[in-house]
Amino acid sequence: MKYIRTLSGKNLRREDLAKIGCGECQTSCQSACKTSCTVGNQKCEQKVD
Amino acid sequence: MIKAQIHKFYLNDRYIVLDVNSGAVHVVDEVVYDILDYYEDHSKEEILNILKDKHEARVIEEAYEEIAYLVDEGLLFTEGAGLEGFEYNKDNIVKALCLHVAHDCNLKCNYCFASQGNFKGERMKMSLETGKKALEFLAKNSGNRKNLEVDFFGGEPLMNFELVKELVKYGRELDKKYNKNFRFTITTNGVLLDDDKIEFINEHMDNVVLSLDGRKEVNDRMRKTINDNGSYDIIVPKFKELVEKRGDKDYYIRGTFTNHNLDFSNDIMDFYKQGFKKVSVEPVVTSEEMEYALRREHLEDVLREYEKFSKEYIEIKKKDEDFLFFHFMIDLDQGPCIVKRSVGCGAGSEYLAVTPEGDLYPCHQFVGEEEFKLGTLDSGIVKKDLREVFKKANIYNKEECKTCWARYYCSGGCHANAYYAHKDLMKPYELGCEMEKKRIECSISILANL
């Protein structure tokens, strides 16, 4: 690619709903904000070692 | 099928394109950026003609082919499937509690939503019996979830620190009994921190949220002691000691900005200069009538401030990757899945607040609003209809969210913000949306520069 640099590919995969949405990740509001809702900075537990 | 949608913007010297439904993010040359304005409803020949005075024909053709390739790969103009067939939290699992261990406070911050800690009720501390009951409630209602969260909150939780210690101990017993992993966090103003508390917190808390507003004059204007003095000089040395001893464990210095410090990037930088590297500064949440509230007339300044700070942030990050501003953190590779990005914080179903009396509310922001009392630790959730309302308040059901490019980043926004702005959980708080969108653009432009 000469004119495009992809920073991130598909990250909203819904192909296998049985494997995602496990709910083990941190509740977003508990991490720092306590007032706003920001989920983009939360880690997925399935990808954490 | 959800319509294909892209969002493009230019910030910090980068042309950036988001493919909303796939989540893909691209940094592009100007020619691609220009072609995308016409790609969906014009032929290649038409585009060549439209852009002929701005770009060479060969360049337009090559860029056009690259775009076509990404479309074929499902990375641009992707149609969305939403989450049809997925029912959010159908088993009504609870995995996180905000535990109000003390409805009392030793500061009287002007903007406190908790009315100096008592949430419009009586000053009260949670008993050991209630605290244990809350942890049991969580363990028993958490189904097959392994990781459970308890945030010790207030008022000021250090005013009931013996309970905090007892409950951490009890949580470890429940870990074994129920095969769970309790993760404890605490949100504190720091006034009562001493060596023993610092040691305990650093050993047992997965994360600590330390409340401070930034520069001394900014902090002391809003965060006052009971005697009307500023709290900065009491607190900062204690926070520094805690952070110094904390090692690699998570913490956030967390401030609030109001219309008095629309130049809040100076407060963030002040944190950094004080040696605090994990920081968060949040817009105040209050009704518009309050003198210090953020109103429409302040929005332009706030957005400009985020942009200005994003430029400083890029420069700092090039030298110091440990510096983290909560709202500029975005993880495009290891971030949350589509389910999390669709349903958000889980307040009212997965996430609940527990008062010192043992009453259950959707989250800490609703405590004291009688109509939002969901039940008690003894009764469990009684207002099941209200729980359903919270579960359905997501990006697929909120009109404004359905077509918003930012929906998978904010996940529909804060329920409390929506309620306090419109008395309607389904109607997002517009100012919050505008600020969030700018933060997302800044975050991605930062990644594109590092």
Side-chain angles (χ1 to χ4, degrees):
Chain A
M1 288 275 186
K2 199 166 155 188
Y3 303 97
I4 300 174
R5 174 165 65 101
T6 296
L7 273 188
S8 169
K10 297 174 200 174
N11 54 41
L12 286 169
R13 292 175 189 279
R14 52 179 74 64
E15 289 86 352
D16 191 355
L17 281 174
K19 281 191 194 156
I20 61 172
C22 69
E24 293 292 351
C25 53
Q26 187 180 31
T27 302
S28 52
C29 200
Q30 301 274 52
S31 53
C33 62
K34 286 283 177 189
T35 51
S36 63
C37 190
T38 305
V39 296
N41 53 16
Q42 305 293 310
K43 285 262 180 243
C44 172
E45 292 279 338
Q46 292 191 24
K47 297 170 194 162
V48 174
D49 45 75
Chain B
M1 192 61 84
I2 299 165
K3 221 174 140 231
Q5 184 180 10
I6 63 165
H7 173 68
K8 62 191 192 83
F9 60 96
Y10 177 75
L11 182 59
N12 291 320
D13 303 321
R14 298 288 185 276
Y15 295 97
I16 293 168
V17 182
L18 275 62
D19 185 41
V20 174
N21 290 316
S22 71
V25 179
H26 313 283
V27 185
V28 303
D29 283 3
E30 191 181 6
V31 61
V32 173
Y33 196 79
D34 290 341
I35 295 172
L36 288 171
D37 283 335
Y38 308 102
Y39 188 86
E40 272 189 300
D41 45 15
H42 289 75
S43 68
K44 186 157 79 172
E45 287 63 37
E46 286 171 332
I47 293 172
L48 276 161
N49 193 40
I50 294 167
L51 296 177
K52 65 175 187 253
D53 294 333
K54 194 171 177 191
H55 303 285
E56 272 180 55
R58 178 189 55 83
V59 172
I60 295 172
E61 292 212 36
E62 286 176 359
Y64 189 93
E65 293 312 313
E66 290 191 6
I67 293 170
Y69 174 76
L70 291 184
V71 174
D72 284 348
E73 291 293 304
L75 293 166
L76 260 183
F77 296 112
T78 313
E79 291 185 327
L83 281 181
E84 283 89 355
F86 181 82
E87 191 190 340
Y88 167 55
N89 199 13
K90 64 179 184 324
D91 299 326
N92 294 313
I93 280 168
V94 182
K95 69 164 194 174
L97 295 180
C98 182
L99 213 54
H100 293 228
V101 293
H103 270 186
D104 198 356
C105 194
N106 42 19
L107 289 183
K108 46 174 189 178
C109 305
N110 298 3
Y111 48 55
C112 185
F113 61 85
S115 313
Q116 207 204 324
N118 63 5
F119 290 82
K120 302 172 196 161
E122 278 179 53
R123 301 197 174 281
M124 193 177 177
K125 288 178 183 169
M126 183 178 277
S127 68
L128 181 59
E129 187 195 351
T130 303
K132 283 184 167 180
K133 215 185 276 181
L135 266 52
E136 285 270 358
F137 175 87
L138 181 57
K140 286 179 180 164
N141 285 280
S142 57
N144 60 359
R145 295 283 196 285
K146 173 94 176 163
N147 296 319
L148 307 181
E149 299 160 49
V150 175
D151 186 39
F152 294 110
F153 200 68
E156 172 47 45
L158 296 191
M159 293 177 84
N160 198 3
F161 199 64
E162 284 310 308
L163 175 73
V164 170
K165 289 190 342 198
E166 286 297 323
L167 290 183
V168 169
K169 201 161 85 184
Y170 190 59
R172 296 292 162 247
E173 289 172 29
L174 295 183
D175 279 346
K176 294 191 194 102
K177 185 172 167 188
Y178 291 96
N179 189 29
K180 300 289 178 185
N181 176 32
F182 271 86
R183 289 171 172 168
F184 294 103
T185 58
I186 193 163
T187 302
T188 177
N189 66 27
V191 172
L192 291 176
L193 278 176
D194 56 25
D195 287 349
D196 289 345
K197 293 191 183 77
I198 288 173
E199 191 180 336
F200 185 87
I201 286 170
N202 281 345
E203 185 178 346
H204 295 284
M205 301 293 158
D206 277 19
N207 186 22
V208 192
V209 180
L210 306 166
S211 304
L212 183 75
D213 280 356
R215 290 162 292 180
K216 179 176 159 66
E217 63 273 22
V218 171
N219 183 81
D220 286 353
R221 178 171 190 157
M222 298 304 274
R223 301 184 64 78
K224 294 200 167 84
T225 66
I226 304 300
N227 301 324
D228 267 334
N229 295 316
S231 58
Y232 187 90
D233 290 335
I234 302 170
I235 290 163
V236 170
K238 296 179 182 195
F239 282 173
K240 281 186 176 173
E241 187 185 340
L242 184 147
V243 167
E244 213 165 275
K245 291 178 173 169
R246 195 157 172 79
D248 292 337
K249 290 180 94 171
D250 281 342
Y251 74 89
Y252 277 98
I253 292 278
R254 187 239 184 256
T256 298
F257 71 86
T258 67
N259 69 30
H260 294 303
N261 58 323
L262 295 172
D263 62 342
F264 57 89
S265 71
N266 292 317
D267 296 293
I268 304 171
M269 287 309 296
D270 199 69
F271 286 151
Y272 186 60
K273 284 175 198 148
Q274 298 285 345
F276 300 123
K277 298 219 178 167
K278 298 177 184 181
V279 306
S280 175
V281 173
E282 301 267 338
V284 68
V285 178
T286 189
S287 76
E288 288 216 340
E289 296 79 55
M290 300 308 287
E291 177 272 325
Y292 51 81
L294 295 169
R295 290 179 284 272
R296 177 63 60 179
E297 73 221 49
H298 302 119
L299 184 62
E300 204 177 311
D301 285 338
V302 172
L303 302 187
R304 196 180 310 119
E305 191 67 7
Y306 278 126
E307 280 199 14
K308 175 177 164 268
F309 180 58
S310 73
K311 296 178 200 316
E312 292 177 62
Y313 192 72
I314 288 167
E315 293 313 309
I316 297 173
K317 289 291 277 185
K318 285 178 181 167
K319 291 175 265 177
D320 183 358
E321 61 178 24
D322 294 337
F323 184 41
L324 297 174
F325 175 54
F326 182 74
H327 275 148
F328 283 173
M329 289 160 62
I330 194 159
D331 191 333
L332 297 176
D333 298 320
Q334 291 212 321
C337 64
I338 185 172
V339 175
K340 173 106 168 179
R341 290 169 69 172
S342 302
V343 301
C345 67
S349 75
E350 285 185 293
Y351 169 49
L352 300 170
V354 186
T355 68
E357 299 93 328
D359 293 340
L360 300 172
Y361 285 86
C363 80
H364 57 292
Q365 296 265 355
F366 288 98
V367 167
E369 303 287 344
E370 197 53 30
E371 61 185 289
F372 282 97
K373 183 173 151 184
L374 287 161
T376 68
L377 289 171
D378 290 325
S379 69
I381 302 289
V382 175
K383 283 192 187 145
K384 295 185 171 146
D385 291 350
L386 182 58
R387 177 170 62 192
E388 289 307 306
V389 171
F390 274 87
K391 282 164 71 171
K392 291 197 166 72
N394 61 44
I395 60 170
Y396 304 108
N397 295 324
K398 293 184 190 181
E399 275 313 313
E400 283 85 350
C401 299
K402 283 180 186 174
T403 52
C404 175
W405 66 264
R407 60 187 179 273
Y408 288 115
Y409 294 91
C410 76
S411 66
C414 169
H415 298 305
N417 285 355
Y419 175 74
Y420 289 111
H422 299 295
K423 299 285 173 214
D424 183 355
L425 292 173
M426 300 300 282
K427 202 165 168 41
Y429 165 57
E430 300 88 346
L431 284 190
C433 294
E434 294 306 313
M435 291 188 276
E436 174 71 1
K437 284 193 256 189
K438 180 55 71 182
R439 294 192 296 251
I440 296 164
E441 290 186 345
C442 288
S443 310
I444 294 175
S445 79
I446 289 162
L447 280 186
N449 271 279
L450 294 176

